[in-house]
Amino acid sequence: MIKTKSYAAQSATSPLAPHEIERREPGADDVRIEILYCGVCHSDLHTARNEWTGTLYPCVPGHEIVGRVVAVGSQVKNFKVGDLAGVGCMVDSCGHCHSCAGGEEQYCENGFTGTYNGPLFGGENTYGGYSQTIVVKESFVLHVRHDEKALASVAPLLCAGITTYSPLRRWGAGPGRKVGIAGLGGLGHMGVKLAHAMGAHVTLFTTSPGKIADGKRLGADEVCISTDADQMAARANQFDLIINTIAAPHDLDAYLRLLRRDGSMILVGAPAAPHPSPNVFNLILQRRSLAGSLIGGIAETQEMLDFCAEHGIVSDIETIPMQYINTAYERMLRSDVKYRFVIDMASLG
Ligand code: NAP
Ligand code: ZN
C-alpha cells in the first residue's frame, strides 16, 4: 500500500483537515498518477457535508484530477510514465450492462464507482483528488493534450466541462440554435464557453449583476439578470435549450416559459432539496421538455478534452493551497468564485 497525504472531512459538520489514506499498489491494468491539481466542484461540498445523504467518513472529495503518470501496470497499453493524465467523477463501472456497453458508464445499471464516496452498497470507500496520488484502472484514465503550462486550468474540465458538454451535444447546441445557460459558477462558465465554441447563440442567466461583463467575455451573446422579471419576460418562447446549473432549489417555471415549442431544459445542478414542482401547463402548452443529465461517459469525456485542446478552451480558475479549502467552500456558497477553485497539490507537501 502507498501512504498518501490528503484532506478529509471526518463528519458532516467538521471542516476538512489533514488525513492519511492508503492507495493500492498498481495492478496489471492500473495507472498511478501523481496528482498535481484538483478542481473544487460544488458536489464536493454537497458530499463532504452529507447534503445528499449517504456520505461515508472519512470523506476525501475531489473529482477534477490532473497529474502525471508515475507508474503503470504490466497490461497497461495507452499510458506510460511521464504522460499527463486526468481522472473525472468515475473510477469503475460494471462494464457489461446496456449503458456500459454503449459507452455511458455514468448510467451503469449496476452503479458506477465514484472517484470518491464510491461504493453505494457497502464495500471499501473510495477517496478522491484532494490527495497526493491516486491509482485508477486504465480504462477510466483520460489523456490530457493541452499544453502542460495550462494544466491547472484543465482540471475543471473533468467534471464541470463534461457535465455541460454532454447535454449541449445531446440536445444539439450549434449554429442557428439559441442556448441558455443558467448560473455562472464552475459548470455555468464552462457551459457558456462550450456552447459558444459549438457555434450556438448563447444567453447567460445570472442572479449576479457583477458577472455581466465576465459572461460576455466568456462567450455569451447576451446576459439576462434572472431576478429581473422584465428581462425574463422579454425572452419568453425563444430558447431551443437551457442548461440549468443552479445549485439551489428555485422556480423552474421562470425558465420553462423561455423555451420555444419543443424546447428543452436540462437540469444538471443538483441541489440537496427539491425544486418547487413546475406548472405542468408550461410543459403541455408548448410541448416543452424538462430533463436531467449526469456528467458524461469516458469516451465522451476524452472527446470533450480533445475538443477543448483543439479550441484552446480551459477553465477560468483561482489557484488555492489545500489549506484554503474550508474558506473556498464558504466562498462557493456565496457565489464568490471566478469561476473554479483549483487546488495546487504541491501545497500538501
Ligand atoms: P457553483 O460553482 O457554486 O455554481 C452554481 C451557480 O448557481 C452560482 O455561481 C450561482 O450563479 C448560481 N446560484 C447559486 N445559488 C443560487 C440561488 N439560490 N438562486 C439562483 N442561482 C443560484 O457550483 P458548480 O460546481 O457549478 O455546481 C452546480 C451544481 O451542479 C451543484 O449542485 C453540483 O452538485 C451539480 N453538479 C452536477 C453534475 C451532474 O453530473 N449533473 C456534475 C457536477 C456538478 P449566479 O451567480 O450566476 O447566479
Ligand atoms: Zn463535479
Side-chain angles (χ1 to χ4, degrees), residues 225-277:
I225 300 300
S226 54
T227 48
D228 181 326
D230 292 340
Q231 290 191 34
M232 292 293 273
R235 291 176 170 79
N237 302 309
Q238 293 182 7
F239 287 83
D240 296 291
L241 169 62
I242 296 175
I243 308 286
N244 185 329
T245 76
I246 296 168
H250 61 280
D251 172 22
L252 300 179
D253 286 312
Y255 293 96
L256 289 173
R257 284 192 284 267
L258 309 186
L259 297 172
R260 61 164 48 126
R261 176 172 58 78
D262 291 324
S264 304
M265 176 153 78
I266 316 307
L267 303 178
V268 292
H275 298 294
S277 177

Side-chain angles (χ1 to χ4, degrees), residues 179 199 221 310:
V179 173
D221 297 283
E310 193 183 313

Side-chain angles (χ1 to χ4, degrees), residues 17-103:
H19 176 71
E20 191 174 85
I21 56 171
E22 288 187 332
R23 300 295 192 187
R24 64 177 183 265
E25 292 292 343
D29 58 359
D30 280 338
V31 174
R32 181 177 162 202
I33 299 164
E34 178 195 4
I35 301 175
L36 297 174
Y37 300 99
C38 183
V40 178
C41 179
H42 207 114
S43 304
D44 300 352
L45 186 161
H46 289 307
T47 306
R49 298 186 177 179
N50 200 26
E51 291 177 359
W52 291 337
T53 72
T55 301
L56 303 167
Y57 294 96
C59 170
V60 179
H63 58 204
E64 294 184 338
I65 297 167
V66 290
R68 191 180 303 285
V69 174
V70 290
V72 294
S74 57
Q75 301 295 317
V76 169
K77 294 187 180 60
N78 295 312
F79 290 89
K80 58 180 191 317
V81 170
D83 284 354
L84 295 179
V87 178
C89 304
M90 301 181 281
V91 290
D92 208 355
S93 70
C94 85
H96 55 73
C97 72
H98 186 67
S99 294
C100 288

Side-chain angles (χ1 to χ4, degrees), residues 189-190 193 217-218 314-318 338-340:
H189 94 290
M190 290 314 308
K193 288 187 185 208
R217 175 180 59 79
L218 294 166
V314 291
S315 183
D316 281 31
I317 65 166
E318 179 177 335
K338 289 187 172 170
Y339 280 91
R340 196 56 135 189

Side-chain angles (χ1 to χ4, degrees), residues 136-201:
V136 180
K137 210 178 186 179
E138 171 182 25
S139 50
F140 284 80
V141 182
L142 288 307
H143 290 282
V144 173
R145 301 195 166 98
H146 287 75
D147 190 302
E148 188 172 344
K149 288 200 284 294
L151 195 60
S153 322
V154 171
L157 303 182
L158 275 305
C159 174
I162 185 59
T163 301
T164 48
Y165 181 91
S166 183
L168 285 168
R169 281 284 188 233
R170 183 169 185 84
W171 275 270
R177 303 271 285 172
K178 261 192 112 162
V179 173
I181 305 289
L184 194 69
L187 267 56
H189 94 290
M190 290 314 308
V192 169
K193 288 187 185 208
L194 291 166
H196 174 73
M198 290 173 191
H201 182 279

